[in-house]
Amino acid sequence: MERRRLEKILDRFDGLRLLVVGDVVLDEYLWGEVDRISPEAPVPVVHVKREAVVLGGAGNVVRNGVALGAQCDFCAVVGDDDEGREVRALVRDLGVDADGIAEIGDRPTTRKTRVVARGQQVVRFDRESDEAVPAAARERLRRAACERLAGADAVVFEDYGKGLFSGALTRPLLHQAGEAGIPVVVDPKGSLTPFKGASLLKPNLREAEALSGIAIRSDADLERAARRLQRRIGGGDVVVTRGGAGITVFEGEAPGRTAPSLEREVFDMQGAGDTTVAALALALAAGADLFEAALLANVAAGVVVGKTGTATASRDEIRALLPDALAAVRGRR
């Protein structure tokens, strides 16, 4: 593995097109200061100084894809509400067509409001529905995604457990992608049934435990869990993100191989998985083998955990950390 080759893979992100299908979240932040406790209840009083709203969930995958230099298509559902209109506006601000976003009249757009003071999250308010998306809206989404898949170099299914995914949505997309040789990367949350036939599954450690039913306490446990997940998606590969322990690749029947995390100050883990899956999919589309793609994705995640809030990584930021990443991999051998 050479730095020059990895840099060439990053350079190829320009001109790639990434199709993202998944649960969009509107991430709202209220930053403030605390200097007293409320006289009404034993809770801090936050004096709000700054506010921001950004795309989260599958929307953050799109943000990261754009930040990495790719063109993106986005298929998701929102409600007929101000938050849904805000999502569309933020998508357009990225230079991404918002016509693939289906609207559901009686369903709220998922919104997560975080109050942050003294560098720590004080409380989070969630407004959402996890009921199954109505069949008519799912069919509109399927048609939109199938149309856009024809021009895609890679596909990401980003599941946040909001009732979007079913076999009726994913099977035609997986079949079409398989015939065209387009990699499909799944970032799972709940059932794996809709994703059978995907070329790559990317759970984090907690998700790997829940989806496999195996408590992971050792490398041997991780191997057993990954093999079970491979069987459940029909033989595809599995990449498990493990936080500070790095990212482990299970390709075919080969033993698991780990790219260690870099030693960096962590400010916020939020959205790191979205960054990982975007970089992973683009690297595969750019010709990387699975371990090279996982290493680049791991470095991208290392960039965003050093930032606050739902953040993105650029190719220049990844490029700057490649020497350390390669040294860590070589030191592990």
Side-chain angles (χ1 to χ4, degrees):
M1 186 175 294
E2 297 180 355
R3 178 180 177 181
R4 184 179 302 173
R5 171 169 165 77
L6 294 175
E7 289 179 336
K8 287 182 177 179
I9 291 169
L10 287 172
D11 290 339
R12 293 189 200 117
F13 286 8
D14 272 336
L16 292 179
R17 182 169 289 275
L18 177 66
L19 171 60
V20 180
V21 182
D23 295 308
V24 66
V25 177
L26 196 62
D27 280 338
E28 181 180 26
Y29 293 91
L30 305 176
W31 285 285
E33 298 176 355
V34 173
D35 56 16
R36 65 190 179 99
I37 300 299
S38 172
E40 303 165 355
V43 295
V45 175
V46 179
H47 183 53
V48 175
K49 297 288 189 178
R50 184 164 55 97
E51 303 179 31
V53 178
V54 298
L55 290 170
N60 192 36
V61 179
V62 175
R63 289 178 68 224
N64 275 274
V66 171
L68 290 168
Q71 298 178 12
C72 290
D73 287 308
F74 189 27
C75 294
V77 296
V78 295
D80 180 12
D81 49 26
D82 289 341
E83 290 75 21
R85 287 180 278 278
E86 181 90 40
V87 166
R88 290 178 184 275
L90 290 169
V91 168
R92 293 189 188 102
D93 287 346
L94 292 171
V96 175
D97 184 3
D99 289 347
I101 300 174
E103 186 178 280
I104 303 176
D106 58 351
R107 182 185 182 94
T109 301
T110 301
R111 175 162 54 129
K112 299 183 179 182
T113 303
R114 298 168 176 86
V115 181
V116 182
R118 295 179 180 175
Q120 294 185 334
Q121 191 174 138
V122 176
V123 66
R124 191 180 90 183
F125 305 99
D126 289 4
R127 302 168 179 88
E128 61 184 10
S129 171
D130 59 3
E131 294 182 4
V133 169
R138 191 176 281 150
E139 174 59 18
R140 292 200 303 273
L141 202 68
R142 184 197 65 77
R143 289 198 301 266
C146 284
E147 289 172 3
R148 288 157 176 78
L149 183 58
D153 297 292
V155 180
V156 169
F157 289 150
E158 184 71 18
D159 184 10
Y160 269 73
K162 308 305 178 191
L164 175 64
F165 286 101
S166 72
L169 172 63
T170 58
R171 276 194 299 269
L173 292 167
L174 288 167
H175 177 73
Q176 186 176 335
E179 287 194 330
I182 299 171
V184 179
V185 183
V186 176
D187 198 357
K189 181 67 68 176
S191 171
L192 292 181
T193 302
F195 306 117
K196 191 167 185 179
S199 48
L200 181 62
L201 190 71
K202 187 220 71 68
N204 61 30
L205 198 62
R206 178 172 52 82
E207 291 161 346
E209 286 188 323
L211 293 167
S212 68
I214 296 173
I216 300 173
R217 302 291 181 266
S218 65
D219 288 345
D221 293 336
L222 178 62
E223 181 105 16
R224 288 195 303 119
R227 299 308 178 198
R228 182 172 291 179
L229 294 177
Q230 284 181 307
R231 291 193 295 273
R232 288 183 176 174
I233 62 170
D237 299 323
V238 173
V239 170
V240 182
T241 55
R242 303 168 61 192
I247 186 167
T248 302
V249 172
F250 295 91
E251 186 172 14
E253 297 181 0
R257 189 177 176 192
T258 298
S261 291
L262 301 178
E263 292 186 7
R264 289 175 57 79
E265 188 173 4
V266 176
F267 286 94
D268 196 340
M269 293 293 292
Q270 183 190 330
D274 304 328
T275 303
T276 301
V277 75
L280 192 62
L282 288 173
L284 291 172
D289 66 35
L290 186 54
F291 190 75
E292 290 170 333
L295 185 145
L296 289 169
N298 197 42
V299 175
V303 171
V304 300
V305 299
K307 302 178 181 181
T308 302
T310 308
T312 62
S314 71
R315 286 179 296 173
D316 285 343
E317 289 172 316
I318 296 172
R319 197 176 277 112
L321 293 177
L322 284 180
D324 291 340
L326 288 170
V329 170
R330 290 167 184 148
R332 191 178 180 90
R333 290 175 179 171

